[in-house]
Amino acid sequence: MIKCEQPSEIRSLVRRWQLDGLRVAFVPTMGNLHAGHFSLVELARRHADRVVTSVFVNPTQFGPNEDFARYPRTIERDAVGLEAVGSDAMFVPEPHALYPMGAANAVRVEVPPIDRILCGAHRPGHFSGVATVVLRLLHCVPADCAVFGSKDYQQLQIIRRLVQDLLMPVELIAGATCREPDGLAMSSRNQYLLPDERELAPLLFAKLRSVASAVQMGQPVGAVLSNAQAELTRVGFSVDYIEVREAETLADWYPDARRGVALVAARIGNTRLIDNLEFVLTED
Ligand code: PAF
């Protein structure tokens, strides 16, 4: 696996492959990789001849009280895993390579209105930071396609809008959420859970399933959601939100909507977890 630190290096490598007629896929990550990330690299492999994975802990997407400093940096282990799963190149820029003017003075992009709702309302500036770094990464890695996980559902829809609105010549591919056998969505944050918190955590996905099937059966969305929130709170979650939204726009659910997504963000102890479940309403 080729390792590049400089934007110019990775850009010429990708261009060289493309001039040779090869299709290139890109998987952006923040490292601390687990099976969920590796499944995205495997998906990328199925869509392209060459795969580039980036590992960059992006300062602009962390709020002042968030875990940027303590976010695990496991670069050696990540490199071993990426090589094993077939990534052809790894892009590991230093912060000043991606933010030459410094993160505080960076040119930023916003993706209104969907960067302000749901997680955006609880983490002001987070999605602007994500969109900003994805734009920069895609300038450095001008791949034919880029793969993002569906676990970060709102992030995925925001990146879709970013790419569409800025006319970026890259195809987006969504990877399915990888789950533990008990249903918990894989996440770097799961490692922070204490044993009793880890036992509780799969209830989030169980609750999303019951919310989605209640909506599919025609039960009133407002009541379904307030019951779900009350039950999660009763067992010990501090719920930021549990919502049902239209799947593509994340607009409030409306009577004629057909494709939906149930989304949750909740804390157990000090750990904030998110999850989602897409569903379709069939005509009867
Ligand atoms: O999903 C992530 O790991 C990050 O938000 C991303 C897309 C790599 C941007 O830093």
Side-chain angles (χ1 to χ4, degrees), residues 28-30 56 58 61 130 133-134 148 152 155 159:
T29 81
M30 295 211 299
F56 179 70
N58 172 37
Q61 71 188 76
V130 170
V133 81
V134 168
F148 293 86
D152 296 301
Q155 168 174 288
I159 294 167

Side-chain angles (χ1 to χ4, degrees), residues 23 54 57 61 70 93 99 126 130 139 234 268:
R23 182 173 157 85
S54 65
V57 184
Q61 71 188 76
R70 75 173 186 127
Y99 292 105
H126 167 69
V130 170
H139 275 310
R234 187 178 54 77
I268 326 180

Side-chain angles (χ1 to χ4, degrees), residues 6 19 24 28 37 42 58 86 111 118 123 140 144 152-153 217 228 233 236 246 259 271 282:
Q6 295 306 324
L19 283 173
V24 180
H37 296 108
E42 279 161 1
N58 172 37
V111 188
L118 301 168
R123 303 181 67 190
C140 301
D144 301 283
D152 296 301
Y153 191 89
M217 287 186 309
T233 307
E246 198 285 320
R259 282 187 57 232
T271 307
T282 47

